[in-house]
Amino acid sequence: GLAVGRGVELQWKMQMGSPFGWWFGRLESLEVSKEPGVAVGVISFGQFPPTTRWHRLQVLFGDGELRRCTFGGYSGGVRAVTAAEEAHWMRFF
């Protein structure tokens, strides 16, 4: 499952009519929201410099809703990655 400090994949798309893609990041924090079935996580994307808007994102997830991202586009779900999946992602960074 999801754990702070571990790798995750975020469903993200630029435009409403576009398909989702997956972004690899690291879960920095995770809290249960006041909304039923919803969590709030902060994900950092180390592939982007810390000074860019794409480096860190706070995201609400867990209820299947599509939400606007602060750095543009839309987010969907978040999933934990296995050690093998994380190793695969690291081949690209």
Side-chain angles (χ1 to χ4, degrees), residues 12-56:
W12 182 85
K13 62 181 176 177
M14 185 63 186
Q15 299 174 355
M16 186 63 84
S18 299
F20 277 109
W22 291 98
W23 280 31
F24 175 82
R26 195 147 312 276
L27 191 61
E28 288 189 0
S29 67
L30 181 63
E31 298 179 11
V32 176
S33 174
K34 293 178 183 175
E35 296 179 47
V38 177
V40 180
V42 175
I43 303 170
S44 61
F45 302 97
Q47 61 270 38
F48 298 106
T51 56
T52 66
R53 65 181 177 162
W54 302 284
H55 180 73
R56 183 171 284 113

Side-chain angles (χ1 to χ4, degrees), residues 31-92:
E31 298 179 11
V32 176
S33 174
K34 293 178 183 175
E35 296 179 47
V38 177
V40 180
V42 175
I43 303 170
S44 61
F45 302 97
Q47 61 270 38
F48 298 106
T51 56
T52 66
R53 65 181 177 162
W54 302 284
H55 180 73
R56 183 171 284 113
L57 175 67
Q58 181 175 340
V59 62
L60 269 63
F61 62 94
D63 60 358
E65 293 294 320
L66 186 66
R67 291 190 168 82
R68 287 190 168 275
C69 289
T70 56
F71 58 46
Y74 301 88
S75 65
V78 173
R79 68 178 289 271
V81 298
T82 65
E85 289 169 330
E86 184 167 344
H88 181 77
W89 273 107
M90 291 301 108
R91 293 176 23 203
F92 301 105

